[in-house]
Amino acid sequence: MRPLVEVTGLEVHYPVGTLADRLRGRRPVFKAVDGVSFTVAKGETLGIVGESGSGKSTVARALLRFLEPTAGSVLFDGADVAGMDRAALRGFRRRAQMIFQDPVGALNPRHTVAACLDEVLQVHGRGGPAERAGRVAELMALVGLPPTLADRRPRALSGGQCQRVGIARALAVGPDLVIADEATAALDVSIQAQILNLLADLKGELGLTMVFISHNLGVVRHVCDRVAVMNAGRIVEIGATADVLDRPRQPYTQALVAAIPAMHGAAPSPTGAAILGTVI
Amino acid sequence: MPVLLSVRDLRIDIATPAGPLPVVDGVSFDVAEGEIMGLVGESGSGKTMIGRALLRLLPTRRARIAGGAMHFDGRDLARLDETAMTGVRGRDVTMIFQNPSSHLDPVMRVGDQVAETVMRRDGVGWRAARTRAGELFAEVGIAEPVRRLDAYPHELSGGMRQRVMIAAALACRPRLLVADEPTTALDVTVQKQILELLRTLRDRSGFAVILITHDLGVVAETCDSVGVLYAGRLVERGGCAGLLTRPLHPYTAGLVGSQPELAVPGRRLPAIPGQPPASDDLPPGCRFHPRCAHAEPTCTVGDIALETLPDGRAVACRRWPELAGAEVGA
């Protein structure tokens, strides 16, 4: 089966030269992404990990054509994303959605939860007002938001609730691919666990393909089938999650794995339920 | 080791139009000399408020210490006047923050900023202070320390800036260092270096550290003891290894269980349902009971005190003996 996403030789360079450089005829560039290739199969979750500045978010943005790559190609379901005209791009954006890191900042502070979701449906021309209202209620139920929150504004919600709205927005038009860029980084650990569970449920229920970008290897280990490790704009290692994180081959991945603070002694119980010695 | 800091029944109120709200309510703990104690909790649990209260750096117009005592070296920090407090702050007790960039002067060379502290603390001249600043830079692992003295904050990486902050803290020769999320803004590889540095410096200089963090992994790697805060109350306290491997309070257990690195990949995480209460809408009884799988009617009434066990562990849960016993019997 052909992969849903095929990225080949992706490069994103930014000019960093000063005027003096240009007068001397030099064009220095910063290589945010420097020759990245990978594929994502249908129904798969690919993790992209790396430290700040490794280029992982830039890859996500190039995937969705939020920015134009310097070189390389992104094929989505066989179609070249760079070559899409407006109509094709609109269809593509319906099928590929993004969940952002800052759940509060990603929402319009003046819109209620219902309006935030309705907006997405309107933009994509999904049905009349009544139909959309029904879909909004459906989406809220899907992501576990009680209907009483429909008239609240983001400010009146917790970070976890805002992220649920963000997820509902991404799912509103029934995408095939969801890119989650540090989707749980701003959340407290107990809320992060809820959101990770929600994403896992939704993925199973809706058959989503996901690209999961995170600096947190623990989170990536938990949710991803395969993982790509990025450093300085390149993928240094890619493979099945267990292979890469438990038996890293590259020195960089080894250093990254070794730096995860370990919970000494605490270990998963065979049932995968809580770890805890005595309480639960 | 003798007790350095003894906090008793600390209460911190935040002023709101509707009246004062207790954001920290009856928190007690001791820190021994040279001990690294972790204060863990989620956003709004009051951990940063406690750290700031220790240096009396609460935003004065909004928050105030409403009760309790903080005994440090025979003095109650909660009751010192501002002049006396100035003699403690930046001398015996000092603090480092999550975001070093916003606590360094952007238009002053970092070496001068540290030298300034040295001059004030040791009463030495500029030249000697600059020399000492160079030594401190070397001590916190800044490469080419003397050259770096002339750098401005923006020329340094986040990890380097945090090292500068630590150097400035060391210049105070503190007996207690309050570190508020010192590695949260850093990449994991840099985080590891900074945590190792804190432990090394503690071993060398013998100061105690209160490490405020939301990250149980950081606690496990760094701390000797840990206190777990929930909605302004300490729910459990004890030695680090025991508390994390054998939590007694259901909230601590839930926090440990929420760590994705400990879960079986692909399985659901045993998440804690719901969210922490708002400080103007605290539930009666145990503040965790609405989210607790083990809550019973008895958990919803009265004050639940922190009970200290013979091994030094303390837990604030009515049902802990039963819950612990259940597991032993199972």
Side-chain angles (χ1 to χ4, degrees):
Chain A
M1 203 167 72
R2 106 169 278 146
L4 185 64
V5 181
E6 288 169 84
V7 176
T8 316
L10 186 70
E11 289 180 17
V12 181
H13 295 179
Y14 294 108
V16 287
T18 58
L19 181 62
D21 284 323
R22 249 175 293 158
L23 291 176
R24 292 190 192 109
R26 286 192 301 218
R27 299 268 157 137
V29 290
F30 172 69
K31 298 177 177 175
V33 177
D34 190 15
V36 162
S37 305
F38 61 88
T39 60
V40 191
K42 280 198 177 83
E44 180 183 52
T45 301
L46 173 75
I48 302 182
V49 299
E51 299 187 280
S52 342
S54 61
K56 53 193 194 303
S57 290
T58 310
V59 168
R61 282 163 192 279
L63 271 185
L64 291 178
R65 214 176 127 184
F66 289 167
L67 50 80
E68 302 290 336
T70 313
S73 71
V74 176
L75 298 187
F76 181 80
D77 214 358
D80 185 359
V81 172
M84 287 179 179
D85 57 18
R86 280 179 76 91
L89 201 56
R90 176 159 291 213
F92 166 63
R93 294 254 157 88
R94 200 171 294 158
R95 297 185 58 194
Q97 285 281 326
M98 187 145 173
I99 302 169
F100 297 92
Q101 170 169 2
D102 177 359
V104 186
L107 300 176
N108 185 333
R110 303 170 67 117
H111 281 183
T112 62
V113 170
C116 278
L117 297 175
D118 188 59
E119 183 186 30
V120 185
L121 298 171
Q122 257 185 45
V123 165
H124 287 281
R126 287 295 168 97
E131 202 180 318
R132 291 202 309 266
R135 178 77 180 134
V136 166
E138 236 176 75
L139 284 167
M140 287 185 64
L142 183 69
V143 298
L145 285 170
T148 47
L149 297 182
D151 298 325
R152 302 267 187 96
R153 290 188 168 72
R155 240 184 57 148
L157 303 180
S158 68
Q161 287 168 338
C162 283
Q163 195 55 294
R164 286 176 195 267
V165 178
I167 293 170
R169 268 173 73 95
L171 298 178
V173 287
D176 300 315
L177 172 70
V178 171
I179 298 180
D181 188 1
E182 299 279 9
T184 63
L187 305 175
D188 275 319
V189 60
S190 73
I191 307 300
Q192 165 173 287
Q194 293 173 6
I195 296 293
L196 292 178
N197 283 341
L198 173 67
L199 287 174
D201 292 347
L202 292 171
K203 189 179 171 276
E205 232 166 274
L206 308 173
L208 296 174
T209 305
M210 284 183 64
V211 175
F212 196 93
I213 294 165
S214 178
H215 68 283
N216 186 330
L217 295 186
V219 170
V220 165
R221 182 200 297 276
H222 189 69
V223 299
C224 298
D225 305 313
R226 282 197 310 141
V227 57
V229 181
M230 285 193 70
N231 181 30
R234 292 169 182 270
I235 291 181
V236 294
E237 192 162 357
I238 183 166
T241 305
D243 287 338
V244 173
L245 297 186
D246 296 337
R247 294 173 289 281
R249 294 211 193 122
Q250 296 299 319
Y252 179 76
T253 318
Q254 288 164 358
L256 207 58
V257 170
I260 311 173
M263 301 274 296
H264 301 293
S269 73
T271 59
I275 329 110
L276 328 149
T278 39
V279 172
I280 290 177
Chain B
M1 282 299 237
V3 171
L4 178 68
L5 172 77
S6 173
V7 174
R8 287 291 170 272
D9 273 327
L10 181 66
R11 191 185 141 112
I12 301 170
D13 281 354
I14 283 194
T16 69
L21 282 182
V23 288
V24 172
D25 195 2
V27 165
S28 303
F29 59 88
D30 288 344
V31 181
E33 279 177 27
E35 177 180 345
I36 302 186
M37 182 197 179
L39 270 184
V40 208
E42 300 185 90
S43 326
S45 60
K47 54 191 192 302
T48 293
M49 285 290 173
I50 295 173
R52 289 187 165 258
L54 286 170
L55 281 102
R56 296 261 299 276
L57 288 174
L58 291 171
T60 45
R61 284 181 54 202
R62 295 195 54 221
R64 68 182 191 98
I65 298 171
M70 305 183 290
H71 291 289
F72 177 85
D73 198 20
R75 285 178 292 185
D76 181 0
L77 300 183
R79 279 178 185 70
L80 287 186
D81 61 38
E82 192 47 40
T83 322
M85 197 60 216
T86 313
V88 174
R89 196 188 296 133
R91 281 183 169 267
D92 294 331
V93 188
T94 184
M95 189 160 180
I96 58 174
F97 301 89
Q98 173 173 350
N99 185 356
S101 339
S102 55
H103 293 88
L104 289 169
D105 185 337
V107 294
M108 189 173 178
R109 298 178 195 280
V110 287
D112 294 352
Q113 300 189 43
V114 174
E116 211 174 40
T117 311
V118 175
M119 282 171 70
R120 197 173 51 83
R121 177 67 176 92
D122 295 348
V124 295
W126 184 247
R127 231 165 231 287
R130 281 277 295 195
T131 312
R132 173 81 183 125
E135 289 166 18
L136 288 166
F137 273 26
E139 204 172 332
V140 298
I142 294 177
E144 299 184 73
V146 176
R147 201 171 64 85
R148 293 284 188 209
L149 289 174
D150 289 326
Y152 288 96
H154 75 268
E155 296 172 314
L156 302 177
S157 67
M160 279 300 161
R161 281 189 284 230
Q162 194 58 283
R163 285 177 198 268
V164 171
M165 286 290 286
I166 295 172
L170 284 185
C172 304
R173 302 181 200 278
R175 297 173 63 196
L176 174 65
L177 172 69
V178 179
D180 188 0
E181 302 270 11
T183 61
T184 307
L186 305 175
D187 281 319
V188 276
T189 47
V190 183
Q191 161 169 289
K192 189 180 164 78
Q193 295 164 9
I194 296 288
L195 293 175
E196 276 169 8
L197 174 66
L198 278 179
R199 280 194 75 99
T200 312
L201 294 173
R202 187 276 308 259
D203 294 345
R204 207 182 291 157
S205 315
F207 53 75
V209 181
I210 293 182
L211 182 67
I212 296 167
T213 178
H214 67 282
D215 188 334
L216 287 183
V218 166
V219 169
E221 289 259 300
T222 320
C223 298
D224 306 312
S225 67
V226 55
V228 181
L229 286 161
Y230 184 77
R233 289 228 171 124
L234 208 52
V235 295
E236 189 165 2
R237 203 182 60 204
C240 188
L243 190 139
L244 293 180
T245 49
R246 244 186 89 243
L248 293 179
H249 196 285
Y251 176 63
T252 316
L255 267 191
V256 177
S258 299
Q259 301 288 320
E261 42 276 78
L262 293 179
V264 176
R267 297 277 186 103
R268 290 181 69 77
L269 290 165
I272 309 174
Q275 51 193 320
S279 46
D280 60 351
D281 188 22
L282 294 169
C286 171
R287 289 180 180 171
F288 184 61
H289 85 257
R291 302 175 72 191
C292 181
H294 307 284
E296 284 192 339
T298 163
C299 302
T300 63
V301 286
D303 223 25
I304 292 160
L306 198 67
E307 183 185 340
T308 307
L309 317 184
D311 64 352
R313 181 87 73 93
V315 57
C317 173
R318 286 240 161 91
R319 299 199 59 204
W320 81 263
E322 271 175 84
L323 296 173
E327 170 79 16
V328 171

